[in-house]
Amino acid sequence: MSEQRIVRTRFAPSPTGALHIGGVRTALFNWLYARHAGGKFILRIEDTDQLRSTDESTRGILDSMSWLGLNWDEGPLFQTERAGIYRDAVRKLIDEGKAYRCACPPEELERKRKKALAERRKPKYDGTCRHRNIGPNPNTVVRFRCPDRGTTAFEDLVKGRISFENDELDDLVIERSDGFPTYNFAVVVDDALMGITHVIRGDDHVNNTPRQILLYKALGHDVPAFGHVPMILGSDKARLSKRHGATSVTAYRDMGYLPEALVNYLVRLGWSHGDQEIFSLDDLIRLFTLEAVGKSAAVFNPDKLLWLNQHYIKGAAPDRLARELAPFLEDLGITNPDPDFLARVAADLQTRSKTLVEMAESARFYFNEIRDYDLQLAEKYFDSTGAIYIQSVREALPGLGEYKKEGIENLLRKIAEENGTKLKNVVQPIRVALTGKTVSPGIDEVMVTLGKEGVMRRLDNALEFIRSG
């Protein structure tokens, strides 16, 4: 019985910009497949595009992966550090007659391409240099000698059997004139030498697969299993892009989304487990299979993601939310808040917040005492009756024995009864006095979080504002 290979998957982004959520879903599927099988997940940075690759983008990719909790077992490995390996592989193919140098000028290739298109022929390379035995030259590229007969087929783990006629394929360039490998060649060399057993990627790569299979075989390597997942579309059924809204991981992080919400949402774009909507990472590792990945493209729904984010905010531990919330408060000029106080603030707001940005905005009043009230609110709630309610609460607070939600609620009810009015008529002037707004968490929650001294100070500020008016 042959020894079963350990599953090894990889995610191989190019550091030419922010990490796109489509790429993240690919990373997530690879990560889950490896974790489910007890295998290894490798992170490789495909940075051979020297003009567009940046260190900033690389840092962004690593930060995004870490933020989402998608840890890697090996890497990050960089293609630019492997140039000698690719050159050796190119030389091997040339020496074995499986590749050749091509000196066709780019303008001549373009002319032939246009002519083929005009004649409704496939614009593939015509093999001009196939038998010219051109030696090394600064202006040459290296092409793979693709078989011109036969079929290249594979059993896609998502789509089923896919087949290509070899005469439809091209003698693709595997090394550019600058000595760097092309994508299709470098990815084969890397995946082979890194022992990748399963290549899971977007279905925009399906047409690359037969070329890569032929390269694996030409180099004498085992061919991995391939699984091509459908693309993510916008609401108009076009490929997801910036015109549909935010598309990068960092954008959603900066908009106040929790990582588990984004992970949960992205995995459900194309994968399902019955009607279940909410999944922890442990759930996903246990349940994920490629058999449950759909064959149709998934449509990105920002409202569904927002709903999930609200769900996770509601269920998060307040001390964890406090840590997540702190940077958003800092953006509002609120720095170094007391962690315990911030956790109480988060607990007050978490059932009312869809994002951390929204929570931070709602939290302003906890940290900034109000002295200049909105005049329209003051006119409505700080009239002579409102002032009586504020004064009554202020005078009763020092003698309140139990400063907890129940004790505060009883106090407010007592004042309402003594004044022959409804509870809400007492609460709203108090709410405006403490928060500067007519909408907030329960007034008893707010008063507990602000503390007795803080509440009395704010009520004093409101009474002073009323007297000065």
Side-chain angles (χ1 to χ4, degrees), residues 15 64-65 107 255 276:
S64 296
M65 294 286 286
E107 56 273 15
M255 289 192 298
Q276 187 173 341

Side-chain angles (χ1 to χ4, degrees), residues 365 370 430-440 443 446 458:
F365 75 84
I370 304 98
I430 302 301
R431 191 188 308 278
V432 173
L434 297 180
T435 71
K437 301 185 292 186
T438 57
V439 178
S440 75
I443 197 63
V446 171
R458 291 184 184 219

Side-chain angles (χ1 to χ4, degrees), residues 6-12 26-44 71-74 77 157 191 194-201 224-225 288 290:
I6 295 175
V7 167
R8 290 173 63 85
T9 67
R10 50 75 166 173
F11 178 52
T26 299
L28 178 59
F29 283 3
N30 278 279
W31 187 87
L32 288 172
Y33 192 84
R35 294 290 177 260
H36 178 80
K40 301 292 184 181
F41 174 68
I42 292 86
L43 178 62
R44 184 173 73 231
N71 58 317
W72 50 92
D73 301 299
E74 296 175 22
L77 305 167
L157 297 172
D191 286 345
M194 293 175 188
I196 302 303
T197 61
H198 296 76
V199 175
I200 303 165
R201 56 191 181 185
F288 184 82
L290 286 176

Side-chain angles (χ1 to χ4, degrees), residues 72-367:
W72 50 92
D73 301 299
E74 296 175 22
L77 305 167
F78 295 86
Q79 284 189 329
T80 48
E81 298 174 358
R82 300 168 59 80
I85 295 173
Y86 307 130
R87 292 193 187 104
D88 288 345
V90 168
R91 280 195 295 270
K92 170 181 166 62
L93 292 182
I94 292 175
D95 291 345
E96 294 176 356
K98 298 173 181 176
Y100 60 93
R101 298 188 183 277
C102 173
C104 294
E107 56 273 15
E108 177 66 12
L109 293 173
E110 180 63 15
R111 185 188 66 77
K112 290 180 178 180
R113 189 187 73 84
K114 288 180 177 178
K115 185 173 185 293
L117 289 173
E119 296 173 355
R120 298 191 176 183
R121 293 184 288 109
K122 188 176 181 69
K124 56 181 288 189
Y125 180 63
D126 63 3
T128 297
C129 294
R130 255 193 170 210
H131 306 292
R132 293 174 61 186
N133 295 319
I134 298 171
N137 186 300
N139 297 318
T140 61
V141 299
V142 177
R143 290 182 180 273
F144 174 63
R145 194 184 300 273
C146 181
D148 49 17
R149 288 188 296 274
T151 300
T152 299
F154 62 100
E155 197 68 32
D156 193 282
L157 297 172
V158 176
K159 296 179 175 295
R161 187 167 181 79
I162 298 177
S163 179
F164 293 83
E165 296 301 317
N166 290 339
D167 61 6
E168 289 293 308
L169 304 177
D170 210 346
D171 281 4
L172 76 156
V173 174
I174 60 174
E175 184 179 271
R176 298 191 295 262
S177 59
D178 61 4
F180 275 95
T182 57
Y183 163 78
N184 275 303
F185 188 67
V187 75
V188 167
V189 173
D190 285 340
D191 286 345
L193 296 184
M194 293 175 188
I196 302 303
T197 61
H198 296 76
V199 175
I200 303 165
R201 56 191 181 185
D203 62 8
D204 54 331
H205 285 285
V206 166
N207 288 337
N208 288 327
T209 305
R211 298 174 171 88
Q212 293 175 7
I213 289 174
L214 291 171
L215 285 169
Y216 278 105
K217 292 179 177 178
L219 289 166
H221 294 300
D222 291 337
V223 178
F226 290 93
H228 293 90
V229 299
M231 303 299 290
I232 301 176
L233 306 180
S235 56
D236 58 357
K237 304 300 174 65
R239 184 171 179 172
L240 189 67
S241 66
K242 289 182 179 178
R243 75 173 183 275
H244 297 109
T247 58
S248 71
V249 175
T250 50
Y252 283 96
R253 182 191 63 193
D254 295 345
M255 289 192 298
Y257 285 77
L258 295 179
E260 56 265 45
L262 193 56
V263 165
N264 192 152
Y265 182 69
L266 289 178
V267 79
R268 286 287 287 110
L269 281 177
W271 176 88
S272 63
H273 180 73
D275 295 327
Q276 187 173 341
E277 293 287 351
I278 308 298
F279 298 89
S280 68
L281 268 184
D282 287 341
D283 291 336
L284 292 173
I285 290 170
R286 178 170 51 86
L287 297 171
F288 184 82
T289 64
L290 286 176
E291 287 79 8
V293 173
K295 294 179 174 61
S296 302
V299 177
F300 189 85
N301 183 345
D303 292 334
K304 185 68 170 291
L305 172 57
L306 191 61
W307 173 81
L308 272 172
N309 200 54
Q310 186 175 23
H311 166 82
Y312 281 106
I313 286 177
K314 282 182 180 179
D319 57 345
R320 182 270 174 107
L321 274 183
R323 293 191 297 273
E324 300 277 4
L325 185 60
F328 295 92
L329 290 173
E330 189 171 345
D331 290 341
L332 300 177
I334 301 167
T335 57
N336 300 316
D338 176 75
D340 292 336
F341 178 68
L342 185 51
R344 294 196 297 274
V345 170
D348 283 356
L349 296 171
Q350 67 185 116
T351 61
R352 311 168 63 90
S353 303
K354 295 179 179 178
T355 69
L356 293 174
V357 168
E358 183 181 327
M359 184 183 286
E361 189 62 41
S362 299
R364 280 178 183 265
F365 75 84
Y366 285 96
F367 302 92

Side-chain angles (χ1 to χ4, degrees), residues 38-58:
K40 301 292 184 181
F41 174 68
I42 292 86
L43 178 62
R44 184 173 73 231
I45 305 298
E46 299 192 338
D47 56 348
T48 55
D49 187 338
Q50 296 292 285
L51 293 178
R52 298 173 60 221
S53 297
T54 67
D55 290 341
E56 181 183 5
S57 293
T58 298

